[in-house]
Amino acid sequence: MELTYTQHFEDMLVERQIDRSWVERAISEPENIEEPGDGTKHYLRRITERGERWLRVIVNVSAQPPRAVTVFFDRS
């Protein structure tokens, strides 16, 4: 999927020490996808390199092209 990235997203990669390859893996091979009905999709995938923690990538799919808004390790 072709994406654009917000500045906030780019900042969170650095601040939260998230590798871009993990983001790409979560989007291309998600273990779960949530669609909360607000124009976004949440792509979730466990990241073995971070102790099996769940990475959540939030993408605004209403934008063209879709825009990655934020990324974080899920607490739940």
Side-chain angles (χ1 to χ4, degrees):
M1 169 189 313
E2 182 182 330
L3 292 176
T4 60
Y5 301 93
T6 64
Q7 186 59 53
H8 173 77
F9 180 90
E10 297 289 351
D11 294 343
M12 293 304 99
L13 287 179
V14 174
E15 181 178 313
R16 296 173 177 158
Q17 300 176 342
I18 296 172
D19 191 292
R20 191 175 296 271
S21 69
W22 301 341
V23 171
E24 293 167 2
R25 192 179 330 156
I27 292 171
S28 66
E29 301 170 12
E31 293 182 55
N32 194 17
I33 298 175
E34 296 175 0
E35 296 185 56
D38 61 358
T40 66
K41 279 189 181 182
H42 297 209
Y43 296 86
L44 294 106
R45 181 168 180 87
R46 282 177 287 202
I47 304 300
T48 56
E49 298 91 334
R50 290 291 288 267
E52 298 293 323
R53 292 180 67 195
W54 287 89
L55 183 67
R56 181 178 294 262
V57 182
I58 300 178
V59 177
N60 177 347
V61 292
S62 297
Q64 290 304 320
R67 183 178 306 123
V69 178
T70 195
V71 59
F72 56 91
F73 282 101
D74 206 75
R75 294 182 188 268
S76 55

